[in-house]
Amino acid sequence: MSAVRETSPELHVLAVDDSFVDRRLIERLLKASSYRVTTVDSGKRALELLGVGKENTAVSKSPNVNMIITDYCMPGMTGYELLKVVKESSALKEIPVVIVSSENVPTRISRCLEEGAEDFLLKPLRAADVSKLRSRIDGSKR
């Protein structure tokens, strides 16, 4: 009765960005590399999708996400705040989180990496960046 398909090598990435254009660019690049992509426009929506804050369902329906790629600067909840929530969650902390930003701020980059980000990439995302992501996901799988 399990709906889990272990035979599928397809990796599922959750892309979080408040910019429609950036979400579409990330989605296109990832799909071209055979990733399954779900896009949301905010950290709050990402957490809803991941099941955070739903006490009733707890972790009975674990999210099937292999990686989260999130913009750093977003209204409401920054990518850094999303990273912290994911890394503090016992159910989600193993999911690699990659932060993307159009601003190259060394202190911001260091802070994200110290909090557990797998990588920090500069926008716009390129195909070369996407090829690095697979090794990040493979390295974190158990």
Side-chain angles (χ1 to χ4, degrees):
M1 286 202 187
S2 177
V4 178
R5 293 187 319 230
E6 306 247 74
T7 56
S8 175
E10 188 177 53
L11 297 171
H12 185 196
V13 177
L14 174 60
V16 187
D17 201 311
D18 59 317
S19 162
F20 176 80
V21 172
D22 287 336
R23 280 197 313 273
R24 288 296 160 251
L25 173 65
I26 292 168
E27 183 177 27
R28 227 180 242 150
L29 283 170
L30 292 172
K31 284 187 172 180
S33 296
S34 301
Y35 288 93
R36 191 169 119 229
V37 184
T38 301
T39 61
V40 293
D41 63 359
S42 69
K44 183 177 182 278
R45 288 233 166 107
L47 293 176
E48 288 170 3
L49 186 115
L50 293 167
V52 173
K54 295 180 182 174
E55 274 64 83
N56 301 353
T57 56
V59 189
S60 60
K61 199 171 187 187
S62 178
N64 188 15
V65 174
N66 301 101
M67 177 176 276
I68 299 167
I69 297 178
T70 180
D71 184 22
Y72 182 88
C73 291
M74 295 183 292
M77 173 183 270
T78 66
Y80 176 74
E81 292 165 336
L82 176 60
L83 167 70
K84 287 190 61 119
V85 171
V86 168
K87 293 304 172 185
E88 290 169 3
S89 164
S90 58
L92 304 174
K93 67 182 177 188
E94 298 301 319
I95 300 172
V97 178
V98 174
I99 308 280
V100 294
S101 179
S102 55
E103 300 172 12
N104 187 358
V105 181
T107 54
R108 180 182 294 171
I109 295 169
S110 297
R111 190 171 67 161
C112 289
L113 294 174
E114 286 167 9
E115 286 294 333
E118 200 66 36
D119 207 343
F120 193 106
L121 303 172
L122 291 176
K123 288 182 177 183
L125 213 59
R126 299 166 310 208
D129 295 323
V130 173
S131 64
K132 287 192 285 186
L133 296 179
R134 188 168 296 274
S135 65
R136 297 280 187 198
I137 294 173
D138 292 342
S140 68
K141 284 176 104 178
R142 295 178 183 218

